């Protein structure tokens, strides 16, 4: 919900340039999210639901930024997927995410909506930092793979 509130706080000109695209299947316990989306129905927010791997890769690669503001996360595979597609990330302060991203992305506290809004603006408009995070994210993603994880586990 914090991401939606933060996005709603952006200037209209920013939202017109960068619509918010949400991806993920509809499941249970979503009444609050659906109510929030209904309240923000006039904002440029699009919930695509489930998308297949090819479409997801296209979405990652064509996005200006990827925000993953999970309250609790075990690893953060979507973050790694985004970085592998060259899209810099904004993540929550969940320990697994901050450890994964390191200095290759931006971090915001999930309960601090103004800080998230500010981080979104920075992610979208700080071009030198964006380019730096793109390079670092690609390098980080290349260093992590299923085959490397399996080899390390075997060793």
């Amino acid at each position: 919900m914090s991401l939606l509130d933060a996005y709603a706080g952006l200037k209209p000109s920013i939202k017109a340039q960068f619509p918010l695209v949400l991806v993920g299947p509809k499941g249970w316990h979503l009444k609050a999210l659906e109510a929030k989306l209904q309240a923000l129905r006039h904002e440029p927010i699009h919930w695509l639901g489930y998308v297949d791997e090819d479409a997801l890769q296209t979405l990652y690669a064509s996005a200006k930024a990827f925000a993953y503001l999970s309250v609790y996360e075990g690893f953060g595979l979507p973050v790694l997927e985004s970085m592998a597609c060259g899209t810099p990330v904004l993540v929550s302060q969940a320990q697994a995410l901050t450890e994964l991203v390191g200095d290759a992305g931006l971090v915001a506290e999930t309960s601090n909506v103004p800080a998230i809004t500010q981080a979104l603006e920075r992610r979208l408009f700080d071009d030198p930092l964006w380019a730096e995070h793109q390079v670092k994210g690609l390098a980080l993603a290349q260093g992590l793979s299923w085959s490397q994880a399996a080899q390390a586990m075997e060793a």
Side-chain angles (χ1 to χ4, degrees), residues 17-18 64-65 86 88 106 119-135:
Q17 187 177 355
F18 299 104
K64 174 71 175 186
L106 293 177
L120 285 171
E121 289 180 2
R122 187 169 184 213
R123 178 77 300 154
L124 294 170
F125 295 107
D126 187 337
D127 292 336
L129 184 64
W130 189 95
E132 176 186 332
H133 285 175
Q134 182 185 45
V135 169

Side-chain angles (χ1 to χ4, degrees), residues 10 23 37 45 78 82 86 110 126 131 145 150:
L10 291 170
V23 174
L37 288 171
I45 299 173
S82 178
T110 55
D126 187 337
S145 70

Side-chain angles (χ1 to χ4, degrees), residues 60 66-81 90-101 110:
Y60 283 134
F66 176 73
Y68 196 73
L69 300 173
S70 179
V71 176
Y72 171 80
E73 186 58 43
F75 176 69
L77 188 57
V79 174
L80 187 59
E81 291 172 336
L90 165 62
V91 300
S92 67
Q93 79 288 357
Q95 186 173 358
L97 296 176
T98 58
E99 288 176 6
L100 172 63
V101 171
T110 55

